[in-house]
Structure formats: structure tokens, C-alpha cells
Amino acid sequence: MVNNKNDHQIDEKFLKALGCSALVLQLLKLRDIARRRREVLMRKGKLGEHPSSTLDILKWEGTQKDTVVVFDNGLGLSYECWDWMIQRVPDEFTVLVSNRRGIGGASRRQSRSELEEALSREIKAYSNRIFIAHSIGALVLADRLKHYPDLWADTAEVWLIDPTDSRLLEASSRNKTARQRVSHVLWNSLLTSWSGTNQVDSKLDNEVNFRASVEKKYLANLRGTKAARSVIEEYNYFRNSGLETRSLSGHVKAVFSSERHSQNGEKHTERQKTLAQEIASSFQIVEKSSHFSILGEQTSSDQVSNTIWSDYV
């Protein structure tokens, strides 16, 4: 009996020690991820500043403090997606990137209004403003300018990269097949993230090739349940918002379209071309690109960058 009791106590101590060790390892892993987060995205070898201690915003000050370039990410993408493009921004310009609620290092507790208020304060410090938006980032920008119309300075300019058309979101909500497809992708992101085998990650691995300094394994850690829930919420918010990409009319310099977009390549390109005509901007197809690789592959990203920055150099 005494031996059994002692064995039982030893087992309990062993399990407690094992549990404590696992907890310590997990905390060390999280600390390492937090440390690398501040090092993973650089601009020409320089670390960005964090203007806010609670919001996931990165800023690189330019040599001339009168122009800011603001990047707005697509649905579910963290600001690392701008890696290639950030390297091509002229040294004179300040660069500002951010992660929305639940994406990347941004907390689920962070509200949309908190982030937009902080970004607005940063942007107002510069007289010249350049906005570059990818995918649903176009509607994020439209939403920001609706709530902060004073950001529309006379010198404000917009560049849209494979922008999400608000009418497309509306049409997808009416079309049963499209609605089921979108629902499948969004809920698949949530359900499969629990098992660590997210199909979206596999797709991104095939279509996104960041610089060597950005670790794919690290980026994959950012796409979990937290991010999947945020993607679903943000998609539904913009689908029901009534926001129009066309509200950016008059400031848009160009619309860049990927050559292929899932199974709707030609329809997608035509839709982007129509949008460009409606907002009176130039239109350019980025050859051999997809919705993700238009930013993630250096060749496609350089094609977009060359067009944009040739206007300012």
C-alpha cells in the first residue's frame, strides 16, 4: 500500500513538472514570436517604429517629412504582404502599414475605430498623402475617408491593386453559388485552422514568395482561429456596409488588375477595367499574376512599383 501511494505521488509530481515544462516552452515560443515580429519586416534594412503600444502599426520616417505612403492590406493578410513594395518606396517618403483587428499581431480586442483614429492622427501630420490599397483594402480606405473626410487633401492620391468592387460583394451575396463558395472558403479558414492544416495557407505558399528575411513558417503562425474569425467578421461588415469603391473617384491614379483570379480570370479583368473607367483612372493588367502573387511575387510587385514610383521620381 505504501509503495502504491508513493508511486501515485511520484506520478502526480511528474505530470505537474511535465505540465509546467510545456507551459514554459509555450511562453518562450510566444516571446520569440513577439521578438521576431519586430524584426521580420524591414525597410531597406531598417526596423520600423511602433507609434502605438497597443495597436499593430509600423512606421518608417522618410528623409523629407511632408509625404506619407499608407498601405491597406487585403482581406486576412498581414502587413508583411507589402514587403516587396515597401523596399521600392523612395527614401524621401514616410511609410505607414498596419494590421486590422485579429490579423497578424493585432489583438481581437482592438476595435476598427481605435485603429482608424490612430492612423488618422499619423496621416494628418503630412501634407502629401499617397494611399495604396489591395483587394478589400480599397473598401477599408473608402470607410476611413468616409469617417475622416479631412484626410482628402488636394494632394491625396490613390493606387488600387486588384481592388474589391463593392458591387461584387453585393452580387455574391445574392448569387447562391457564389455565396456558397465564399461561405465555404471563410468557414474552411475557421474550421481547419484548429487542426493546423489550413488550405488557405497552402494556397498562399504556392502564390506568395516573400523576401528571404521574411520567414514563411512564422507567417503561417499568424493564420489561426483568431485570424479566421476576423476574416469572416470583416467580410460581412463590408458586404453590408453599402460602401462604394467609386467614392474614391477623382483621386485614383490607376487600377492594377491581376491576370487570373480563381476561375473568373476574364470576368475579373473586365470588372476591374470597368471600375477604372468609372473612376476615370488608368488601367493596367499585371501579367502572369494572381490575386495574391500580384504583391507576393517580386516580378509582379516590381511591375506595379515601377508604374507607381515613376510618377514621383
Side-chain angles (χ1 to χ4, degrees):
M1 290 293 291
V2 175
N3 286 339
N4 287 340
K5 186 176 181 180
N6 288 339
D7 290 344
H8 183 65
Q9 288 175 341
I10 291 172
D11 288 344
E12 282 187 347
K13 289 179 180 179
F14 175 75
L15 290 173
K16 286 180 180 178
L18 190 64
C20 288
S21 299
L23 179 60
V24 169
L25 288 173
Q26 182 65 15
L27 289 173
L28 289 173
K29 179 183 176 183
L30 291 174
R31 188 184 70 175
D32 186 49
I33 286 176
R35 177 182 60 79
R36 285 190 290 137
R37 167 149 209 84
R38 292 178 177 268
E39 300 173 358
V40 73
L41 186 59
M42 294 188 180
R43 179 187 179 192
K44 300 178 181 178
K46 295 180 180 179
L47 291 171
E49 302 171 4
H50 290 258
S52 170
S53 59
T54 57
L55 302 171
D56 198 7
I57 300 173
L58 265 181
K59 176 182 178 182
W60 291 268
E61 196 72 62
T63 56
Q64 295 178 5
K65 300 186 178 181
D66 60 348
T67 302
V68 64
V69 182
V70 184
F71 290 94
D72 283 305
N73 323 334
L75 185 67
L77 294 180
S78 61
Y79 50 50
E80 282 86 359
C81 70
W82 297 108
D83 194 357
W84 287 110
M85 290 200 68
I86 286 173
Q87 313 312 316
R88 301 293 299 276
V89 177
D91 294 339
E92 297 86 346
F93 299 165
T94 293
V95 170
L96 203 60
V97 295
S98 61
N99 279 327
R100 299 190 292 277
R101 180 174 184 250
I103 302 300
S107 169
R108 284 274 305 164
R109 294 188 294 273
Q110 168 187 304
S111 69
R112 181 177 285 103
S113 58
E114 273 184 288
L115 177 63
E116 292 302 337
E117 185 178 348
L119 285 174
S120 176
R121 284 196 302 269
E122 291 288 335
I123 295 168
K124 286 177 183 177
Y126 303 87
S127 54
N128 301 321
R129 298 151 192 176
I130 301 169
F131 298 99
I132 302 176
H134 171 244
S135 188
I136 213 167
L139 294 180
V140 172
L141 176 58
D143 195 29
R144 178 183 307 134
L145 296 171
K146 175 184 175 182
H147 290 93
Y148 298 95
D150 52 338
L151 294 181
W152 266 145
D154 291 338
T155 54
E157 295 179 342
V158 176
W159 302 82
L160 300 178
I161 304 171
D162 231 21
T164 294
D165 186 349
S166 47
R167 286 187 298 195
L168 171 62
L169 288 180
E170 184 183 346
S172 69
S173 66
R174 291 197 309 264
N175 184 291
K176 184 177 179 181
T177 304
R179 188 169 65 245
Q180 288 175 339
R181 187 184 302 122
V182 170
S183 178
H184 171 76
V185 170
L186 294 178
W187 284 105
N188 175 70
S189 297
L190 178 58
L191 296 173
T192 58
S193 66
W194 295 337
S195 65
T197 56
N198 199 323
Q199 291 178 17
V200 177
D201 288 335
S202 301
K203 182 177 177 60
L204 287 178
D205 278 343
N206 292 331
E207 299 190 356
V208 176
N209 179 26
F210 295 102
R211 291 180 306 121
S213 63
V214 178
E215 303 175 40
K216 279 188 181 180
K217 189 174 181 181
Y218 162 72
L219 290 174
N221 288 335
L222 303 180
R223 302 188 62 84
T225 308
K226 179 185 74 167
R229 287 174 61 196
S230 298
V231 166
I232 293 170
E233 290 169 358
E234 187 169 72
Y235 174 84
N236 287 329
Y237 171 81
F238 284 111
R239 187 185 64 181
N240 300 317
S241 67
L243 288 164
E244 285 287 344
T245 311
R246 286 148 193 77
S247 66
L248 304 174
S249 180
H251 294 268
V252 180
K253 298 281 288 181
V255 171
F256 299 92
S257 173
S258 59
E259 190 171 31
R260 59 185 192 277
H261 190 280
S262 68
Q263 283 83 37
N264 300 309
E266 291 183 8
K267 289 183 180 179
H268 173 75
T269 303
E270 282 303 311
R271 197 159 43 230
Q272 298 289 296
K273 187 175 182 180
T274 300
L275 173 63
Q277 291 170 343
E278 291 178 348
I279 58 181
S281 75
S282 64
F283 175 72
Q284 182 176 325
I285 297 175
V286 180
E287 295 179 358
K288 299 179 180 178
S289 67
S290 70
H291 187 62
F292 291 117
S293 72
I294 197 169
L295 295 182
E297 292 289 350
Q298 185 177 9
T299 306
S300 301
S301 183
D302 282 353
Q303 186 179 332
V304 175
S305 295
N306 290 338
T307 301
I308 294 176
W309 304 124
S310 64
D311 248 40
Y312 302 97
V313 178

